[in-house]
């Protein structure tokens, strides 16, 4: 065959660097966006944050690129300003206002980070106050090192003895004495080898009375019956009446089965909502959270230099800075549009709570806004909406539906709320089974199978009927 030249026309999708950056920024959470912007600010000298700005009236939706062609004024149209006197009514009738600021010189409030003390440090401090021989002190310290985060000694004394040097010739009796010392430390119950021993140690330090004696008997000989709420067998085993068993049960429930957990390090995670929802003159209004919107601009000094010197090496970075400012604006513009569409369809939830949540899928919002379903998925992931009913991830407002007798649909969120309401109002002595809950919902026109009720109940961390039964 002879070589020849042929022309062929075809279409293909090419992701430009600007589009790739736009998609990347859209899927980032607010915290991740701040981290990403810090990296851009360090790498690009033409990009900087606005130090002083006037808060505008609102963030325009669907603004064209030409409107923000001048990066110096791109952020003058960003979002609804939130003055210190703005507030919204909460669920309890109170008012939640926007965060105000205090003068640094006049305010006595300081950001103080509480010093955290670990369980090991707390126990070693108590060990230092005790008058013990050096040998006993070493043994108690070894037992402290063997405790888990809840304060339990999960190893047997034999295993602990095997970990010690042979030349010390540690005997089990010595370890038992050291354990007795440890079990008298604060918090009460530390050094226990089981939940039963932990509760017994806590009951042992209480004043002796009938309730404490009965509670100790139940913990030592009937804890499994108590855990399974088999109160009939407990009464038969202990010979007590309903009132005495009820008092002992309440006493046991007041104990702490994880005494060391209070000294564990807490991983606090903070959420900064992207949009804020308020009811103004009877209408729900959505605005971008001013604290979440980053204000960027082009450095005016470098921009003047570039205007006089064509062909400078900073021209590429100037274009990148403009792209970034435009894409950040577009990110919040898209989030706002999606949030407004969600609020438009979930007004009943905002007015009446979870029981009024309507079924909603990503495709419904995508069709309304003319966006791809994958874009809606990116927008609703790790983006949060602050409402008078709390802060929710945008994905929270989407859910499957269950058919009703009338031919309508009820959202899974509403069904879970109804299940929670029914269980909270049930009679403690005769709690509702999953089948009974299914029947009650069926009487309201909502057809839900028993296994679906069980799935929703487990998702709400509500125990089954036999564990909800009380005396």
């Amino acid at each position: 065959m002879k070589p020849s030249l042929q022309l062929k026309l075809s279409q293909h999708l090419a992701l430009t660097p600007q589009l790739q950056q736009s998609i990347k920024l859209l899927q980032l959470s607010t915290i991740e966006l701040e981290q990403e912007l810090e990296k851009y600010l360090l790498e690009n000298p033409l990009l900087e944050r606005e130090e002083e700005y006037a808060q505008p009236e609102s963030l325009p939706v669907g603004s064209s690129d030409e409107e923000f062609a001048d990066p110096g004024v791109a952020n003058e149209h960003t979002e609804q300003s939130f003055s210190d006197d703005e507030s919204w009514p909460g669920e309890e009738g109170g008012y939640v206002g926007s965060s105000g600021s205090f003068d640094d010189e006049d305010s006595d409030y300081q950001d103080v980070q509480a010093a955290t003390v670990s369980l090991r440090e707390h126990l070693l401090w108590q060990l230092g106050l005790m008058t013990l021989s050096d040998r006993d002190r070493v043994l108690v310290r070894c037992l402290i090192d063997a405790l888990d985060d809840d304060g339990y000694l999960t190893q047997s004394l034999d295993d602990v003895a095997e970990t010690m040097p042979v030349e010390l010739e540690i005997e089990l009796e010595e370890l038992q004495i050291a354990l007795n010392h440890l079990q008298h430390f604060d918090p009460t119950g530390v050094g226990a080898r089981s939940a039963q021993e932990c509760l017994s140690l806590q009951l042992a330090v209480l004043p002796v009375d009938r309730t404490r004696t009965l509670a100790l008997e139940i913990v030592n000989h009937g804890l499994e019956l108590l855990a399974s709420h088999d109160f009939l067998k407990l009464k038969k085993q202990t010979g007590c009446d309903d009132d005495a068993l009820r008092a002992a049960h309440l006493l046991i429930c007041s104990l702490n089965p994880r005494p060391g957990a209070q000294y564990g390090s807490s991983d606090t995670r903070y959420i900064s909502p992207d949009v804020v929802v308020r009811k103004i003159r009877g209408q729900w209004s959505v605005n971008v959270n001013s604290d979440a919107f980053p204000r960027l601009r082009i450095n005016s000094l470098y921009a003047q230099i570039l205007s006089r010197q064509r062909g400078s090496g900073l021209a590429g970075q100037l274009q990148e800075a403009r792209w970034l400012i435009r894409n950040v604006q577009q990110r919040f513009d898209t989030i706002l549009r999606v949030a407004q569409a969600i609020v438009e369809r979930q007004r009943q939830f905002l007015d009446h709570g979870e029981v009024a949540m309507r079924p909603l899928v990503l495709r419904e919002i995508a069709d309304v806004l003319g966006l791809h379903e994958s874009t809606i998925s990116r927008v609703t992931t790790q983006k949060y909406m602050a409402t008078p009913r709390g802060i929710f991830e945008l994905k929270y407002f989407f859910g499957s539906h269950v058919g009703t007798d009338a031919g309508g649909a009820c959202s899974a969120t509403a069904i879970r709320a109804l299940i929670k309401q029914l269980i909270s109002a049930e009679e403690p002595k005769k709690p509702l089974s999953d089948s009974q809950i299914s029947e009650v919902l069926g009487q309201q026109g909502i057809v839900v199978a028993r296994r679906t009720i069980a799935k929703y109940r487990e998702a709400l961390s509500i125990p089954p009927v036999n564990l909800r039964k009380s005396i």
Side-chain angles (χ1 to χ4, degrees), residues 154-173:
T154 55
Q155 295 177 281
S156 66
L157 294 181
D158 290 330
D159 293 338
V160 175
E162 290 179 0
T163 62
M164 296 186 175
V166 180
E167 56 270 16
L168 293 180
E169 299 180 354
I170 302 298
E171 298 181 0
L172 289 180
E173 184 178 354

Side-chain angles (χ1 to χ4, degrees), residues 85-106:
D85 59 350
E86 287 184 11
S87 60
W88 66 58
E91 287 186 272
E92 302 300 329
Y95 281 82
V96 182
S98 60
S99 59
S101 60
F102 297 92
D103 188 273
D104 293 338
E105 297 179 357
D106 298 334

Side-chain angles (χ1 to χ4, degrees), residues 16-300:
T16 64
Q18 184 178 4
L19 182 57
Q20 292 176 4
Q21 184 187 73
S22 177
I23 294 175
K24 180 180 179 181
L25 295 180
L26 187 60
Q27 65 189 8
L28 296 178
S29 66
T30 302
I31 296 177
E32 292 171 340
L33 176 65
E34 281 296 324
Q35 296 172 348
E36 187 72 13
L37 294 182
E38 285 297 328
K39 184 176 71 173
Y40 280 110
L41 287 167
L42 290 174
E43 296 175 351
N44 194 334
L46 283 92
L47 194 64
E48 65 180 10
R49 293 186 183 273
E50 289 189 3
E51 298 298 333
E52 298 181 358
Y53 54 91
Q55 291 187 342
E57 290 299 323
S58 62
L59 175 67
V61 177
S63 303
S64 62
D65 287 344
E66 287 76 15
E67 182 177 352
F68 300 102
D70 185 357
V73 298
N75 296 308
E76 294 181 4
H77 308 277
T78 51
E79 72 282 335
Q80 175 77 30
S81 62
F82 303 106
S83 59
D84 293 341
D85 59 350
E86 287 184 11
S87 60
W88 66 58
E91 287 186 272
E92 302 300 329
Y95 281 82
V96 182
S98 60
S99 59
S101 60
F102 297 92
D103 188 273
D104 293 338
E105 297 179 357
D106 298 334
S107 175
D108 293 330
Y109 294 100
Q110 299 290 336
D111 291 332
V112 180
Q113 182 177 5
T116 57
V117 178
S118 66
L119 176 64
R120 182 177 182 275
E121 292 171 340
H122 181 60
L123 296 175
L124 290 178
W125 171 74
Q126 297 176 73
L127 178 61
L129 301 177
M130 296 187 65
T131 305
L132 296 175
S133 64
D134 292 341
R135 186 178 178 87
D136 287 340
R137 193 178 298 276
V138 170
L139 294 180
V140 175
R141 179 185 288 268
C142 291
L143 292 176
I144 291 175
D145 292 337
L147 298 178
D148 64 9
D149 294 337
D150 292 332
Y152 282 85
L153 182 64
T154 55
Q155 295 177 281
S156 66
L157 294 181
D158 290 330
D159 293 338
V160 175
E162 290 179 0
T163 62
M164 296 186 175
V166 180
E167 56 270 16
L168 293 180
E169 299 180 354
I170 302 298
E171 298 181 0
L172 289 180
E173 184 178 354
E174 291 180 290
L175 277 177
Q176 185 60 56
I177 294 174
L179 181 59
N180 291 338
H181 287 307
L182 176 60
Q183 290 179 346
H184 283 84
F185 284 12
D186 176 76
T188 308
V190 72
R193 288 158 289 186
S194 65
Q196 182 182 38
E197 185 177 17
C198 179
L199 299 178
S200 296
L201 290 171
Q202 296 179 52
L203 289 171
V205 300
L206 298 179
V208 179
D209 59 15
R210 180 187 174 190
T211 302
R212 179 260 196 186
T213 302
L214 178 58
L216 193 58
E217 181 182 354
I218 293 174
V219 167
N220 290 332
H221 306 290
L223 195 58
E224 292 183 359
L225 293 176
L226 183 66
S228 61
H229 286 213
D230 196 342
F231 300 116
L232 290 177
K233 285 187 178 180
L234 271 178
K235 288 192 293 184
K236 184 177 180 180
Q237 177 178 304
T238 59
C240 65
D241 56 16
D242 286 347
D243 292 338
L245 183 56
R246 186 179 298 108
H249 186 200
L250 291 175
L251 178 59
I252 294 173
C253 289
S254 67
L255 304 177
N256 184 5
R258 301 173 58 204
Q262 59 183 308
Y263 294 95
S265 58
S266 59
D267 183 15
T268 305
R269 297 186 179 184
Y270 298 93
I271 293 176
S272 178
D274 298 87
V275 293
V276 179
V277 179
R278 290 187 177 93
K279 197 168 191 179
I280 302 175
R281 299 183 184 91
Q283 299 294 325
W284 290 105
S285 174
V286 187
N287 296 286
V288 171
N289 181 11
S290 59
D291 294 332
F293 192 93
R295 295 169 178 82
L296 305 174
R297 67 182 181 188
I298 302 296
N299 184 288
S300 58

Side-chain angles (χ1 to χ4, degrees), residues 271-376:
I271 293 176
S272 178
D274 298 87
V275 293
V276 179
V277 179
R278 290 187 177 93
K279 197 168 191 179
I280 302 175
R281 299 183 184 91
Q283 299 294 325
W284 290 105
S285 174
V286 187
N287 296 286
V288 171
N289 181 11
S290 59
D291 294 332
F293 192 93
R295 295 169 178 82
L296 305 174
R297 67 182 181 188
I298 302 296
N299 184 288
S300 58
L301 177 61
Y302 285 111
Q304 292 175 6
I305 295 175
L306 284 174
S307 64
R308 294 192 298 264
Q309 298 180 2
R310 299 296 179 181
S312 172
L314 295 177
Q317 291 179 311
L318 175 61
Q319 184 61 39
E320 290 177 358
R322 286 176 174 168
W323 283 354
L324 181 64
I325 293 173
R326 211 169 279 159
N327 286 334
V328 169
Q329 167 66 34
Q330 183 64 32
R331 176 187 186 272
F332 281 90
D333 175 43
T334 305
I335 293 174
L336 181 61
R337 292 177 62 201
V338 172
Q340 288 175 331
I342 291 174
V343 170
E344 181 69 22
R345 284 152 184 78
Q346 299 294 5
R347 290 178 180 177
Q348 296 298 318
F349 163 79
L350 296 171
D351 287 328
H352 306 291
E354 292 179 327
V355 293
M357 183 79 80
R358 58 157 288 187
L360 185 64
V361 294
L362 297 177
R363 179 171 294 278
E364 183 176 345
I365 301 296
D367 292 341
V368 170
L369 299 180
L371 300 173
H372 195 273
E373 194 171 345
S374 62
T375 301
I376 305 299

